[in-house]
Amino acid sequence: MPRTLSVIKADIGGFVGHSAMHPEVEELGRERLRDAVESGMLIDAQAHSCGDDLFLIMSHDHGQDAEVVHHFAWDLFVAGTEVAKKLHLYGAGQDLLVDAFSGNIKGAGPGSAELEYEERPSEPVIVFMADKTSAGAFNLPFYKMFADPFNTAGLVIAEPLHSGFSFEVHDVKEHKKIVLNCPEEIYDLLVFIGSPARYAIKRVVNRATGEIASVSSTDKLSLIAGRYVGKDDPAAIVRCQGAFPAVGEVLEPFTTAWIVEGFMRGSHYGPLMPVSLGDAHPARFDGPPRLVALGFQIADGKLIGPRDMFDDPSFNNVRQEANDVADQLRKHGPFEPHRLPLDEMEYTTMPAVAAKMSDRWAEM
Ligand code: F6R
Ligand code: MG
Ligand code: MG
């Protein structure tokens, strides 16, 4: 019977501003998860935070999209919002976009990445948690992990990876999906995923075995709400070793400070900085965007870990690079390409300013 690893996450209130999560909210999450494990609903579970987002990592046998798991997560976020309100935390309940839960957390605000898998005798996985960025932020790193032989040596020299991977890509605006097979459709794939504001990689599958290699949350908050409500701050799960990239091949894409959207007010590009849990508290210009990687061995559904994978001096150079890129981009102030293009910005005064100035524009 397949087992499921669900990561469901939400920003239910920041401490201070949008920079981090208050320990009391995180503790409430841990208590509720402990109760759910004791009751037998979950096999095992952990709560962690990256910036102002709470990530629930839940191992269970209910399958993906299970109402019992989604409802539990929703109730936990509602209870956490009460704590956030009591402490007057910033933006309490900001990602809870509907008044009441109605069967599935998708479309209700929180993000979800759920992996259904047959547990291998040894099952290493990495759970990625991001803050201050959007759903497509994993496109480039996933491409490198699963399709770029200069990143993943196994694509060239390891038999179980040599047939390549297929990518399920979601058009987050039109709500459509497509599967593209690599390596032969790499150029077609890149036409789509090179535009991460519209196309996001949802799932990657090993073509030889049919096993799911990775899943990510592609929920776009602004499209769900029809207006800006916060950043997507996505999650992803990646299986490692054997028929999948090795742990080191999964982490290698993050040795470059990729430029992603989500810096200040969700309206600026900034470098994605891989950090340890202890440094996952974006403060400078509400950023730079952060990424945490938690490694687990799954043993009969139990989460053995985490290992804080970016807590490693070999990522010091990329952190320095991210700071240098942030310095350079910040010098542009309100100019593109630091500021997002007009129709992508989460905040804008353009309609009001355009209306105010409308009779001052003259034909020329
Ligand atoms: C939040 C974020 C922040 C906020 C900014 C303004 O995820 O990206 O940069 O957008 O702090 O927040 P408000 O409008 O709530 O004052
Ligand atoms: Mg926030
Ligand atoms: Mg956040």
PDB file of all heavy atoms in Angstrom, residues 18-19 39 44 46 51 105 119 127 141 152 154 159 161-162 183 214 229 261 294 338 361:
ATOM      1  N   HIS A  18       6.709  40.515   8.857  1.00  0.00           N
ATOM      2  CA  HIS A  18       6.629  39.262   8.082  1.00  0.00           C
ATOM      3  C   HIS A  18       7.909  38.436   8.210  1.00  0.00           C
ATOM      4  O   HIS A  18       8.173  37.590   7.373  1.00  0.00           O
ATOM      5  CB  HIS A  18       6.405  39.593   6.600  1.00  0.00           C
ATOM      6  CG  HIS A  18       5.042  40.149   6.279  1.00  0.00           C
ATOM      7  ND1 HIS A  18       3.924  39.372   6.173  1.00  0.00           N
ATOM      8  CD2 HIS A  18       4.641  41.423   6.038  1.00  0.00           C
ATOM      9  CE1 HIS A  18       2.879  40.125   5.865  1.00  0.00           C
ATOM     10  NE2 HIS A  18       3.288  41.382   5.779  1.00  0.00           N
ATOM     11  N   SER A  19       8.741  38.697   9.254  1.00  0.00           N
ATOM     12  CA  SER A  19      10.091  38.122   9.235  1.00  0.00           C
ATOM     13  C   SER A  19      10.178  36.691   9.744  1.00  0.00           C
ATOM     14  O   SER A  19      11.032  35.926   9.294  1.00  0.00           O
ATOM     15  CB  SER A  19      11.051  39.006  10.032  1.00  0.00           C
ATOM     16  OG  SER A  19      10.696  38.996  11.398  1.00  0.00           O
ATOM     17  N   SER A  39      -3.101   9.678  18.372  1.00  0.00           N
ATOM     18  CA  SER A  39      -4.436   9.137  18.055  1.00  0.00           C
ATOM     19  C   SER A  39      -4.377   8.114  16.917  1.00  0.00           C
ATOM     20  O   SER A  39      -5.359   7.435  16.643  1.00  0.00           O
ATOM     21  CB  SER A  39      -5.373  10.270  17.647  1.00  0.00           C
ATOM     22  OG  SER A  39      -5.080  10.673  16.318  1.00  0.00           O
ATOM     23  N   ASP A  44       3.594   9.832  11.711  1.00  0.00           N
ATOM     24  CA  ASP A  44       4.609  10.687  12.327  1.00  0.00           C
ATOM     25  C   ASP A  44       4.443  12.080  11.742  1.00  0.00           C
ATOM     26  O   ASP A  44       3.842  12.236  10.658  1.00  0.00           O
ATOM     27  CB  ASP A  44       6.018  10.146  12.023  1.00  0.00           C
ATOM     28  CG  ASP A  44       7.064  10.659  13.015  1.00  0.00           C
ATOM     29  OD1 ASP A  44       6.688  11.393  13.949  1.00  0.00           O
ATOM     30  OD2 ASP A  44       8.245  10.312  12.846  1.00  0.00           O
ATOM     31  N   GLN A  46       6.070  16.478  11.948  1.00  0.00           N
ATOM     32  CA  GLN A  46       6.890  17.535  12.543  1.00  0.00           C
ATOM     33  C   GLN A  46       6.396  18.877  12.028  1.00  0.00           C
ATOM     34  O   GLN A  46       5.863  18.962  10.913  1.00  0.00           O
ATOM     35  CB  GLN A  46       8.364  17.376  12.143  1.00  0.00           C
ATOM     36  CG  GLN A  46       9.010  16.119  12.686  1.00  0.00           C
ATOM     37  CD  GLN A  46      10.520  16.073  12.469  1.00  0.00           C
ATOM     38  OE1 GLN A  46      11.143  17.074  12.087  1.00  0.00           O
ATOM     39  NE2 GLN A  46      11.101  14.927  12.738  1.00  0.00           N
ATOM     40  N   GLY A  51      10.903  31.635   7.739  1.00  0.00           N
ATOM     41  CA  GLY A  51      10.319  32.969   7.770  1.00  0.00           C
ATOM     42  C   GLY A  51       9.017  32.947   8.544  1.00  0.00           C
ATOM     43  O   GLY A  51       8.919  32.327   9.616  1.00  0.00           O
ATOM     44  N   ILE A 105      -7.876  21.359   1.123  1.00  0.00           N
ATOM     45  CA  ILE A 105      -7.220  22.617   1.475  1.00  0.00           C
ATOM     46  C   ILE A 105      -6.827  23.418   0.226  1.00  0.00           C
ATOM     47  O   ILE A 105      -6.567  24.621   0.296  1.00  0.00           O
ATOM     48  CB  ILE A 105      -6.004  22.325   2.395  1.00  0.00           C
ATOM     49  CG1 ILE A 105      -5.799  23.474   3.377  1.00  0.00           C
ATOM     50  CG2 ILE A 105      -4.735  22.045   1.598  1.00  0.00           C
ATOM     51  CD1 ILE A 105      -5.318  23.057   4.715  1.00  0.00           C
ATOM     52  N   GLU A 119       7.411   2.861   0.089  1.00  0.00           N
ATOM     53  CA  GLU A 119       8.651   3.106   0.843  1.00  0.00           C
ATOM     54  C   GLU A 119       9.718   2.074   0.469  1.00  0.00           C
ATOM     55  O   GLU A 119       9.473   0.869   0.492  1.00  0.00           O
ATOM     56  CB  GLU A 119       8.355   3.067   2.344  1.00  0.00           C
ATOM     57  CG  GLU A 119       9.538   3.548   3.168  1.00  0.00           C
ATOM     58  CD  GLU A 119       9.276   3.448   4.670  1.00  0.00           C
ATOM     59  OE1 GLU A 119       8.308   4.052   5.160  1.00  0.00           O
ATOM     60  OE2 GLU A 119      10.065   2.751   5.339  1.00  0.00           O
ATOM     61  N   VAL A 127      12.893  17.740   2.322  1.00  0.00           N
ATOM     62  CA  VAL A 127      11.739  18.647   2.301  1.00  0.00           C
ATOM     63  C   VAL A 127      12.289  20.077   2.218  1.00  0.00           C
ATOM     64  O   VAL A 127      13.087  20.486   3.067  1.00  0.00           O
ATOM     65  CB  VAL A 127      10.875  18.475   3.568  1.00  0.00           C
ATOM     66  CG1 VAL A 127       9.780  19.537   3.623  1.00  0.00           C
ATOM     67  CG2 VAL A 127      10.269  17.071   3.616  1.00  0.00           C
ATOM     68  N   PRO A 141      15.850  25.065 -10.293  1.00  0.00           N
ATOM     69  CA  PRO A 141      16.555  23.995  -9.572  1.00  0.00           C
ATOM     70  C   PRO A 141      16.065  22.589  -9.940  1.00  0.00           C
ATOM     71  O   PRO A 141      16.884  21.671 -10.052  1.00  0.00           O
ATOM     72  CB  PRO A 141      16.265  24.297  -8.095  1.00  0.00           C
ATOM     73  CG  PRO A 141      15.742  25.675  -8.029  1.00  0.00           C
ATOM     74  CD  PRO A 141      15.297  26.097  -9.387  1.00  0.00           C
ATOM     75  N   THR A 152      23.654  16.857 -12.416  1.00  0.00           N
ATOM     76  CA  THR A 152      23.391  15.515 -11.898  1.00  0.00           C
ATOM     77  C   THR A 152      24.177  14.494 -12.714  1.00  0.00           C
ATOM     78  O   THR A 152      23.760  14.095 -13.817  1.00  0.00           O
ATOM     79  CB  THR A 152      21.872  15.240 -11.916  1.00  0.00           C
ATOM     80  OG1 THR A 152      21.268  16.190 -11.028  1.00  0.00           O
ATOM     81  CG2 THR A 152      21.535  13.844 -11.453  1.00  0.00           C
ATOM     82  N   GLY A 154      24.486  11.470 -12.232  1.00  0.00           N
ATOM     83  CA  GLY A 154      23.754  10.209 -12.374  1.00  0.00           C
ATOM     84  C   GLY A 154      22.998  10.094 -13.689  1.00  0.00           C
ATOM     85  O   GLY A 154      22.775   8.985 -14.182  1.00  0.00           O
ATOM     86  N   GLU A 159      22.728   3.920 -14.240  1.00  0.00           N
ATOM     87  CA  GLU A 159      21.716   3.247 -15.067  1.00  0.00           C
ATOM     88  C   GLU A 159      20.280   3.638 -14.700  1.00  0.00           C
ATOM     89  O   GLU A 159      19.481   3.960 -15.589  1.00  0.00           O
ATOM     90  CB  GLU A 159      21.919   1.718 -14.952  1.00  0.00           C
ATOM     91  CG  GLU A 159      21.200   0.900 -16.008  1.00  0.00           C
ATOM     92  CD  GLU A 159      21.596   1.286 -17.434  1.00  0.00           C
ATOM     93  OE1 GLU A 159      22.808   1.406 -17.727  1.00  0.00           O
ATOM     94  OE2 GLU A 159      20.664   1.468 -18.231  1.00  0.00           O
ATOM     95  N   LEU A 161      18.952   6.257 -13.681  1.00  0.00           N
ATOM     96  CA  LEU A 161      18.560   7.633 -14.012  1.00  0.00           C
ATOM     97  C   LEU A 161      18.702   7.919 -15.509  1.00  0.00           C
ATOM     98  O   LEU A 161      18.250   8.951 -16.002  1.00  0.00           O
ATOM     99  CB  LEU A 161      19.439   8.662 -13.257  1.00  0.00           C
ATOM    100  CG  LEU A 161      19.160   8.904 -11.768  1.00  0.00           C
ATOM    101  CD1 LEU A 161      19.741   7.774 -10.935  1.00  0.00           C
ATOM    102  CD2 LEU A 161      19.727  10.227 -11.304  1.00  0.00           C
ATOM    103  N   HIS A 162      19.345   6.990 -16.202  1.00  0.00           N
ATOM    104  CA  HIS A 162      19.810   7.275 -17.563  1.00  0.00           C
ATOM    105  C   HIS A 162      18.684   7.454 -18.579  1.00  0.00           C
ATOM    106  O   HIS A 162      18.878   8.086 -19.618  1.00  0.00           O
ATOM    107  CB  HIS A 162      20.762   6.152 -18.000  1.00  0.00           C
ATOM    108  CG  HIS A 162      21.623   6.507 -19.161  1.00  0.00           C
ATOM    109  ND1 HIS A 162      22.618   7.461 -19.102  1.00  0.00           N
ATOM    110  CD2 HIS A 162      21.635   6.037 -20.426  1.00  0.00           C
ATOM    111  CE1 HIS A 162      23.199   7.559 -20.282  1.00  0.00           C
ATOM    112  NE2 HIS A 162      22.621   6.719 -21.111  1.00  0.00           N
ATOM    113  N   PRO A 183      15.267  13.389 -21.675  1.00  0.00           N
ATOM    114  CA  PRO A 183      15.880  14.559 -22.311  1.00  0.00           C
ATOM    115  C   PRO A 183      15.269  15.009 -23.645  1.00  0.00           C
ATOM    116  O   PRO A 183      15.527  16.125 -24.060  1.00  0.00           O
ATOM    117  CB  PRO A 183      17.336  14.107 -22.538  1.00  0.00           C
ATOM    118  CG  PRO A 183      17.249  12.631 -22.651  1.00  0.00           C
ATOM    119  CD  PRO A 183      16.128  12.195 -21.762  1.00  0.00           C
ATOM    120  N   SER A 214       9.685  13.926  -7.259  1.00  0.00           N
ATOM    121  CA  SER A 214       9.510  15.161  -6.498  1.00  0.00           C
ATOM    122  C   SER A 214       8.118  15.728  -6.724  1.00  0.00           C
ATOM    123  O   SER A 214       7.484  15.475  -7.753  1.00  0.00           O
ATOM    124  CB  SER A 214      10.567  16.197  -6.904  1.00  0.00           C
ATOM    125  OG  SER A 214      10.189  16.791  -8.113  1.00  0.00           O
ATOM    126  N   VAL A 229      -2.482  38.769  -1.476  1.00  0.00           N
ATOM    127  CA  VAL A 229      -2.745  38.477  -0.072  1.00  0.00           C
ATOM    128  C   VAL A 229      -1.487  38.032   0.656  1.00  0.00           C
ATOM    129  O   VAL A 229      -1.488  37.873   1.858  1.00  0.00           O
ATOM    130  CB  VAL A 229      -3.804  37.369   0.092  1.00  0.00           C
ATOM    131  CG1 VAL A 229      -5.191  37.935  -0.042  1.00  0.00           C
ATOM    132  CG2 VAL A 229      -3.579  36.245  -0.893  1.00  0.00           C
ATOM    133  N   GLU A 261      11.168  35.863  -7.836  1.00  0.00           N
ATOM    134  CA  GLU A 261      10.290  36.956  -7.413  1.00  0.00           C
ATOM    135  C   GLU A 261       9.869  36.755  -5.960  1.00  0.00           C
ATOM    136  O   GLU A 261       9.868  35.636  -5.472  1.00  0.00           O
ATOM    137  CB  GLU A 261       9.085  37.083  -8.348  1.00  0.00           C
ATOM    138  CG  GLU A 261       8.250  35.843  -8.510  1.00  0.00           C
ATOM    139  CD  GLU A 261       7.018  36.123  -9.378  1.00  0.00           C
ATOM    140  OE1 GLU A 261       7.172  36.455 -10.570  1.00  0.00           O
ATOM    141  OE2 GLU A 261       5.917  35.998  -8.844  1.00  0.00           O
ATOM    142  N   LEU A 294      15.367  20.259   4.685  1.00  0.00           N
ATOM    143  CA  LEU A 294      15.392  19.315   5.813  1.00  0.00           C
ATOM    144  C   LEU A 294      15.464  17.893   5.278  1.00  0.00           C
ATOM    145  O   LEU A 294      14.603  17.467   4.500  1.00  0.00           O
ATOM    146  CB  LEU A 294      14.138  19.485   6.681  1.00  0.00           C
ATOM    147  CG  LEU A 294      13.958  20.858   7.332  1.00  0.00           C
ATOM    148  CD1 LEU A 294      12.685  20.878   8.174  1.00  0.00           C
ATOM    149  CD2 LEU A 294      15.172  21.230   8.186  1.00  0.00           C
ATOM    150  N   HIS A 338      14.894  45.201 -10.863  1.00  0.00           N
ATOM    151  CA  HIS A 338      14.707  44.827  -9.455  1.00  0.00           C
ATOM    152  C   HIS A 338      13.203  44.761  -9.196  1.00  0.00           C
ATOM    153  O   HIS A 338      12.698  43.739  -8.733  1.00  0.00           O
ATOM    154  CB  HIS A 338      15.387  45.862  -8.564  1.00  0.00           C
ATOM    155  CG  HIS A 338      15.306  45.561  -7.099  1.00  0.00           C
ATOM    156  ND1 HIS A 338      15.204  44.298  -6.580  1.00  0.00           N
ATOM    157  CD2 HIS A 338      15.312  46.398  -6.013  1.00  0.00           C
ATOM    158  CE1 HIS A 338      15.170  44.357  -5.250  1.00  0.00           C
ATOM    159  NE2 HIS A 338      15.213  45.613  -4.902  1.00  0.00           N
ATOM    160  N   TRP A 361      -1.844  63.960 -19.454  1.00  0.00           N
ATOM    161  CA  TRP A 361      -1.176  63.379 -20.611  1.00  0.00           C
ATOM    162  C   TRP A 361      -1.686  64.089 -21.872  1.00  0.00           C
ATOM    163  O   TRP A 361      -2.900  64.291 -22.021  1.00  0.00           O
ATOM    164  CB  TRP A 361      -1.491  61.893 -20.728  1.00  0.00           C
ATOM    165  CG  TRP A 361      -0.780  61.038 -19.713  1.00  0.00           C
ATOM    166  CD1 TRP A 361      -1.227  60.676 -18.486  1.00  0.00           C
ATOM    167  CD2 TRP A 361       0.524  60.459 -19.845  1.00  0.00           C
ATOM    168  NE1 TRP A 361      -0.320  59.897 -17.825  1.00  0.00           N
ATOM    169  CE2 TRP A 361       0.780  59.754 -18.651  1.00  0.00           C
ATOM    170  CE3 TRP A 361       1.501  60.466 -20.843  1.00  0.00           C
ATOM    171  CZ2 TRP A 361       1.965  59.048 -18.426  1.00  0.00           C
ATOM    172  CZ3 TRP A 361       2.683  59.760 -20.622  1.00  0.00           C
ATOM    173  CH2 TRP A 361       2.907  59.070 -19.434  1.00  0.00           C
TER     174      TRP A 361
END
